[in-house]
Amino acid sequence: MSETEYIEKSRQGDMQAFEQLVILYENKILNYCYQMLGNRTDAEDATQEVFVKLFRFLDSFTGQSAFSTWLYKIASNVCLDFLRKHKRQRTETMSLHQQNAEGEEFLLNVEDTGPSPYDMIQKREAQRALATALEKMSEEQKQVIVLRDIEGLSYEEIARIIGVAEGTVKSRINRARQHLKKLLEKDRELFSSS
Amino acid sequence: MKCDCEFVRQQLSAYIDGMLSNEEQTRVSEHIASCEECRGEYEFLFAISKTAGELPKLTVSDKLHNRIMQNVLETPKKHVVKRPLWKLVSAAAAMAAVIAVSVVSFSSLPGHPDLATEDTPGVMQTADVTPEDGENSKNNELQQMPEGRTVAEQTPSPVQYAENETLTVAPASIPAEELPAESNQGRSIPGESATTDNTEKITLSIAKEQAQKVVEILSIYEKIEEGYLIPLEEKERILAEFKALSASQVDGVEQSEETEIVEFVIICK
């Protein structure tokens, strides 16, 4: 069954179809929320809220934009509201060892493409430095970096999600990257290829 | 060469994303091939972007998935009566403003919205699941859950938008009329005023050219007879989005005195 069919069936009350929609997007939404909110507990709560809203307002989806765009828009709103409401500090560093809301420990899935242990260490240090730098950015700048570089969305999709022109997305991404570059200047060596 | 370096460095971000014209792409490519400093800047920016894409990814556990589905199943779908999206205000009453906010307070809205349909374009009534129906069907649906995904025990959702939840709202902190700094010519269309303890009704006057963007922003919210129903905690963000919208030009064109204004009503509860 296609995504469109899942959406249509969900609107008719088919919960199995709705669950398939959840399965299709829950990882992406969780990761987006995690990058925006900085800790897994908040990310899980936000993810839950996103899908509850999706269920409540599915009838509002007109199909004018892609379903994923619309869903990311909901997630974006939920995260921004969370940030304004809770203003929690990032409680997790880029440790590979994480703990979820149920207290279960797990290892983050880190891509291991370095040919040597040194490369792996350098890569992880670079990721740690980047994650720390991201936390110092404004919500607006962090959002475009997350949507573009982490979620891999196009300028057009990002424009629709955050409700601005494509040109604005282009300049925001440029400014956000320049800001990141400034924050990471002292760690520049971590980002050089061997 | 220095002039080219300056131009190229401003284009590096768009270059990484393939968002330059062919001519600009070529210009940047050729320059960074020959300029060691700019090449270094490009490689640094590219590495940052690539590292961001390789940040550790989380996966949703079965427990979280079940918690999500459990909360979804406990969420009643609302009765939705769709009304015409906006009313046009005549050009005679329109002004140069692109947005005005007038905050009014209303006494509690009556319980459930009226389900009567109207015979007007753009109006329809969706098939709804009442909370009672939802409860019965939910029990059946629980039994039909796919194998491998079991529904966890009921856990309270951190955020609930109960339809009849009464919130005590302090008098609105938003002034009765607020104009964006860039729009000195703007004037608001006065909204209705009344007093209430627990709901806010906000009337927005938007330039017609911007109306579609407003519709997109509001599209995820429930529409009732009085307007768009928005949770109170989202009010600040929504109004900030509208202010940002109104502060910008419409496709590079300043708003004129003859701009048509359309009205939107949001109910913050």
Side-chain angles (χ1 to χ4, degrees):
Chain A
M1 210 181 289
S2 69
E3 180 181 282
T4 310
E5 285 166 316
Y6 284 139
I7 294 168
E8 200 43 52
K9 283 194 172 294
S10 298
R11 278 184 165 147
Q12 294 163 16
D14 185 338
M15 291 309 295
Q16 288 193 353
F18 185 81
E19 189 177 18
Q20 291 306 310
L21 280 180
V22 173
I23 290 170
L24 279 175
Y25 286 102
E26 58 188 358
N27 284 330
K28 282 187 194 241
I29 297 299
L30 176 66
N31 277 287
Y32 173 76
C33 293
Y34 179 70
Q35 293 302 335
M36 288 299 295
L37 302 178
N39 69 84
R40 176 141 192 167
T41 304
D42 283 350
E44 290 190 350
D45 287 346
T47 301
Q48 181 178 284
E49 190 174 335
V50 167
F51 286 106
V52 166
K53 283 196 166 180
L54 171 66
F55 177 71
R56 281 184 59 174
F57 301 126
L58 192 54
D59 289 338
S60 305
F61 176 60
T62 59
Q64 277 188 339
S65 57
F67 179 76
S68 60
T69 303
W70 189 68
L71 185 57
Y72 268 110
K73 193 171 181 63
I74 295 176
S76 170
N77 292 344
V78 167
C79 287
L80 290 176
D81 288 336
F82 244 80
L83 286 168
R84 284 182 188 140
K85 191 175 168 184
H86 297 286
K87 296 211 186 291
R88 279 193 213 178
Q89 291 190 348
R90 189 181 180 101
T91 57
E92 295 170 4
T93 59
M94 286 304 298
S95 168
L96 292 181
H97 291 271
Q98 296 287 331
Q99 197 176 70
N100 65 14
E102 283 83 26
E104 297 166 325
E105 293 198 347
F106 61 96
L107 279 177
L108 281 179
N109 178 26
V110 177
E111 286 180 41
D112 177 7
T113 56
S116 73
Y118 176 77
D119 286 335
M120 279 174 56
I121 292 170
Q122 183 181 348
K123 189 187 192 83
R124 286 174 191 169
E125 287 303 309
Q127 289 171 348
R128 193 189 309 273
L130 175 59
T132 303
L134 274 173
E135 284 308 299
K136 294 178 182 169
M137 298 177 75
S138 66
E139 291 163 7
E140 196 177 87
Q141 286 192 345
K142 182 159 66 170
Q143 186 179 43
V144 291
I145 293 292
V146 171
L147 289 172
R148 176 63 200 157
D149 288 333
I150 299 177
E151 300 295 313
L153 301 182
S154 69
Y155 280 31
E156 187 189 345
E157 285 170 316
I158 296 170
R160 293 194 76 105
I161 288 168
I162 64 179
V164 300
E166 235 178 272
T168 306
V169 171
K170 186 176 173 182
S171 61
R172 260 192 215 179
I173 291 176
N174 183 31
R175 281 199 306 273
R177 283 176 175 160
Q178 295 297 337
H179 188 190
L180 264 182
K181 190 167 80 71
K182 208 183 257 187
L183 291 169
L184 291 169
E185 195 60 55
K186 57 177 171 34
D187 298 308
R188 192 166 181 142
E189 282 182 13
L190 295 174
F191 293 87
S192 62
S193 49
S194 51
Chain B
M1 195 49 101
K2 191 181 176 184
C3 179
D4 230 29
C5 286
E6 220 171 288
F7 168 80
V8 164
R9 290 191 190 189
Q10 279 306 310
Q11 306 303 319
L12 286 178
S13 174
Y15 176 75
I16 286 169
D17 294 332
M19 293 301 290
L20 296 178
S21 66
N22 286 341
E23 191 186 323
E24 286 169 332
Q25 202 88 4
T26 304
R27 185 175 168 186
V28 171
S29 283
E30 287 177 357
H31 180 84
I32 59 178
S34 60
C35 176
E36 194 177 333
E37 273 189 37
C38 287
R39 185 165 61 249
E41 290 300 298
Y42 160 71
E43 285 170 354
F44 188 21
L45 266 183
F46 181 82
I48 292 171
S49 179
K50 186 164 174 283
T51 302
E54 293 169 351
L55 282 174
K57 299 281 193 281
L58 302 177
T59 50
V60 171
S61 64
D62 282 351
K63 276 194 176 175
L64 174 57
H65 175 86
N66 292 338
R67 185 153 60 97
I68 290 170
M69 290 309 300
Q70 181 68 35
N71 275 279
V72 164
L73 289 170
E74 289 170 3
T75 302
K77 262 206 163 168
K78 304 299 181 186
H79 296 288
V80 176
V81 177
K82 293 194 176 182
R83 299 289 172 184
L85 293 177
W86 57 77
K87 302 180 294 183
L88 286 177
V89 177
S90 69
M95 296 153 220
V98 293
I99 187 169
V101 174
S102 63
V103 178
V104 297
S105 307
F106 268 69
S107 53
S108 295
L109 295 175
H112 291 275
D114 191 354
L115 294 178
T117 51
E118 285 186 1
D119 192 19
T120 51
V123 174
M124 60 181 181
Q125 182 179 7
T126 60
D128 300 310
V129 176
T130 63
E132 292 72 30
D133 289 342
E135 199 61 39
N136 291 332
S137 61
K138 179 183 76 176
N139 289 334
N140 292 332
E141 284 145 6
L142 282 175
Q143 294 165 9
Q144 292 164 12
M145 277 295 181
E147 289 183 1
R149 287 284 192 198
T150 56
V151 178
E153 290 182 9
Q154 180 171 334
T155 53
S157 167
V159 179
Q160 293 285 358
Y161 297 142
E163 187 168 69
N164 294 318
E165 186 178 62
T166 300
L167 296 175
T168 302
V169 179
S173 57
I174 298 172
E177 276 190 29
E178 222 177 52
L179 294 174
E182 291 82 351
S183 171
N184 294 326
Q185 302 152 347
R187 283 163 53 193
S188 66
I189 292 179
E192 302 169 36
S193 63
T195 57
T196 190
D197 290 330
N198 39 27
T199 16
E200 289 181 50
K201 179 174 174 178
I202 301 173
T203 303
L204 307 169
S205 303
I206 308 285
K208 186 182 171 191
E209 290 81 359
Q210 306 254 38
Q212 184 56 37
K213 291 181 187 172
V214 175
V215 168
E216 283 180 16
I217 291 169
L218 294 176
S219 66
I220 62 170
Y221 297 101
E222 179 184 352
K223 287 185 65 189
I224 60 174
E225 196 165 338
E226 291 79 7
Y228 289 86
L229 192 61
I230 292 176
L232 195 65
E233 56 260 44
E234 298 189 28
K235 181 189 80 174
E236 196 187 313
R237 178 182 52 74
I238 291 289
L239 291 177
E241 278 193 61
F242 290 150
K243 280 177 76 174
L245 193 67
S246 69
S248 64
Q249 297 172 328
V250 178
D251 297 329
V253 177
E254 291 287 351
Q255 301 303 296
S256 73
E257 288 189 357
E258 293 174 356
T259 301
E260 277 188 78
I261 299 292
V262 298
E263 271 190 354
F264 293 85
V265 175
I266 61 174
I267 315 290
C268 300
K269 193 176 174 187

